[in-house]
Amino acid sequence: MAALARYHRNQGRHVRVFKTGPDFIDPMIHEQASGNPVYQLDLWMVGESQSKQLLFEAALEADLILIEGVMGLYDGEPSSADLAVCFGVPVAAVIDASAMAQTFGAIASGLASYRPEMEFAGVIANRVASEGHGEMLQQSIASQSHWLGSLPRAEDITLPERHLGLYQAADIDDLDKKLDAAAELIGLTPMARLPKPVSFTLFREQVVSPLLQGQRIAVAKDPAFSFVYRANLDLLTAMGAEITFFSPLEDNALPVADSVYLPGGYPELYLSQLSANQEMKLAINEHCQSGKPMVAECGGMLYLLETLTDKMGNSGDMAGVIPASASIQKRLAGLGAQAADLGSGELRGHTFHYSSFDKAPSFELYATRHPRGTEGEGVLKNDGLVASYVHWYFPSNPQAAADLFLQNDAQPKSGQ
């Protein structure tokens, strides 16, 4: 997807990329590849009406809209295929062909026919070993019109990975070089051509109330805390809040603010630096003790614990706001869509983490897993603090999102 975005951007086109489902790292790479902001599309977390609105707004300015799927084409409820059918978007399926020959054609045929109502544009072979291997794969396709080309298995276009997925864009020194190299390969395939046009209609433009007018929100933003939806910050601003950023890694004081937002990220990679910044930890504690609102998601919550241990067994003293500790595990400890009623209706989001509690805090309530309806992540909610492994998607309930950042005596009364 990043290679496609960079190729068409290099041709002088205005490219907009969307990511299906909850994700933070892929959008960072797509933003660098396309030069434009990236937002989520999801029929449950974002909602059909908001997703349609985002696509409509993008279509007003873009020459090309690319939507990256999530997991397998038909995996999940809702799936990438559900989204494609809902919006009438043709699907190009990417298949890792590194260990297959004619089976490639069988898989492509199954993907194309599994849901007849979905428009199947074709298939892309990835990690192809040689020119001969590519020809074999192409010949296995029943309809040659479905062949969209291939990309080779090559180190110069491979992106590095770690436990939460790919490295963040800012951590890949030669990312632009890799993107340009991959873009050149796209230029040799049918993917260099623009697909046929798709029309999007205005569904319902969301009217945002100034629920946070006059409020100043300090948002953590640095390599340790960078997993935040662009749509979350857009909504807070649209509701009247003034956003100011700070770094728990580098700064020794909080900015003057009414509330603090600690998004997720990689605090386990910066244990010594976070632990050594005593001034920031003291400022975080003083903010919480004052009763001012603080929202902490996943890695942001881990920073508020007493200690955090990485997967190598190294521990660091964190802010100590929450009497609990956690360790990074070798296996995934939490994954999936979740929602919770925090007092103003259901707020939706997702969870994805490799850490688990060594000593868990006392939770006031629990989220609910979608679509199973079973008990999900715990939510700590008291004295202005809301902390959980859940990454909240604020536009799913603007009122509930606003209430997270308002003190009880600052919340607007009914009818005002």
Side-chain angles (χ1 to χ4, degrees):
M1 182 61 71
L4 272 170
R6 176 55 65 92
Y7 172 79
H8 288 283
R9 177 192 175 185
N10 285 350
Q11 305 310 303
R13 298 180 177 121
H14 188 108
V15 181
R16 286 293 307 276
V17 184
F18 290 92
K19 173 64 182 179
T20 303
D23 198 305
F24 299 105
I25 299 177
D26 286 6
M28 295 177 189
I29 294 172
H30 296 327
E31 287 190 1
Q32 188 156 335
S34 68
N36 287 305
V38 175
Y39 291 84
Q40 277 63 38
L41 298 177
D42 184 273
L43 295 178
W44 182 78
M45 187 180 78
V46 178
E48 180 178 340
S49 62
Q50 277 193 58
S51 295
K52 283 186 175 180
Q53 178 66 23
L54 287 166
L55 284 169
F56 177 82
E57 291 172 354
L60 293 175
E61 62 181 20
D63 300 305
L64 176 66
I65 293 175
L66 299 169
I67 305 172
E68 184 180 54
V70 59
M71 301 185 293
L73 178 57
Y74 298 105
D75 296 334
E77 297 181 37
S79 67
S80 297
D82 291 330
L83 188 137
V85 170
C86 181
F87 302 137
V89 176
V91 170
V94 181
I95 300 177
D96 184 347
S98 58
M100 66 175 70
Q102 286 80 6
T103 301
F104 180 89
I107 295 174
S109 177
L111 291 172
S113 61
Y114 188 74
R115 286 187 65 174
E117 71 273 27
M118 185 191 75
E119 183 178 351
F120 191 77
V123 64
I124 302 163
N126 201 21
R127 302 175 191 252
V128 175
S130 64
E131 184 177 345
H133 184 204
E135 292 174 354
M136 185 187 304
L137 298 170
Q138 182 175 357
Q139 292 167 6
S140 73
I141 301 294
S143 173
Q144 286 302 298
S145 64
H146 282 167
W147 177 255
L148 297 179
S150 64
L151 287 178
R153 181 172 57 216
E155 185 62 32
D156 64 337
I157 61 171
T158 299
L159 300 178
E161 298 185 47
R162 55 188 168 202
H163 60 280
L164 289 183
L166 296 173
Y167 276 62
Q168 298 180 76
D171 294 335
I172 306 174
D173 293 333
D174 59 347
L175 179 56
D176 281 313
K177 182 179 178 180
K178 288 179 179 291
L179 290 172
D180 285 332
E184 289 183 14
L185 296 171
I186 293 291
L188 304 176
T189 74
M191 291 181 281
R193 299 192 298 265
L194 285 175
K196 67 179 184 179
V198 174
S199 297
F200 300 107
T201 58
L202 178 64
F203 185 75
R204 176 177 59 84
E205 191 167 2
Q206 186 181 34
V207 178
V208 179
S209 300
L211 301 171
L212 294 174
Q213 193 67 45
Q215 296 291 307
R216 194 175 195 204
I217 302 174
V219 180
K221 183 181 181 182
D222 60 25
F225 304 98
S226 56
F227 293 175
V228 61
Y229 292 122
R230 198 178 264 275
N232 281 9
L233 300 182
D234 286 355
L235 177 65
L236 295 177
T237 301
M239 290 192 292
E242 177 187 349
I243 302 295
T244 180
F245 296 102
F246 73 99
S247 169
L249 287 173
E250 302 292 344
D251 296 336
N252 57 17
L254 284 172
V256 176
D258 301 292
S259 57
V260 172
Y261 182 17
L262 295 173
Y266 286 111
E268 66 273 16
L269 300 182
Y270 302 90
L271 289 181
S272 59
Q273 195 171 346
L274 290 171
S275 180
N277 193 343
Q278 299 292 340
E279 293 89 349
M280 178 55 69
K281 291 192 293 184
L282 178 60
I284 291 288
N285 272 274
E286 289 177 345
H287 179 93
C288 288
Q289 290 167 8
S290 72
K292 291 182 178 180
M294 178 177 289
V295 181
E297 302 172 342
C298 202
M301 177 190 67
L302 297 180
Y303 176 57
L304 297 182
L305 304 183
E306 293 172 331
T307 60
L308 176 62
T309 303
D310 65 19
K311 63 181 180 180
M312 303 301 293
N314 303 307
S315 296
D317 293 330
M318 298 292 99
V321 172
I322 301 173
S325 59
S327 298
I328 306 299
Q329 309 299 316
K330 294 181 179 180
R331 300 180 63 179
L332 192 63
L335 171 67
Q338 303 200 13
D341 188 338
L342 304 177
S344 302
E346 182 182 80
L347 190 61
R348 296 182 175 183
H350 83 288
T351 182
F352 181 72
H353 57 95
Y354 274 77
S355 66
S356 62
F357 289 110
D358 305 315
K359 182 177 71 172
S362 298
F363 295 116
E364 277 65 39
L365 58 111
Y366 288 85
T368 301
R369 301 180 191 277
H370 173 81
R372 298 192 300 274
T374 55
E375 183 178 275
E377 302 285 1
V379 180
L380 195 154
K381 187 174 185 290
N382 61 59
D383 295 330
L385 173 64
V386 176
S388 177
Y389 270 120
V390 180
H391 297 269
W392 307 109
Y393 186 77
F394 294 163
S396 67
N397 189 330
Q399 178 67 62
D403 287 350
L404 294 176
F405 296 95
L406 290 170
Q407 289 182 281
N408 291 331
D409 58 359
Q411 294 185 13
K413 302 293 189 296
S414 177
Q416 295 184 347

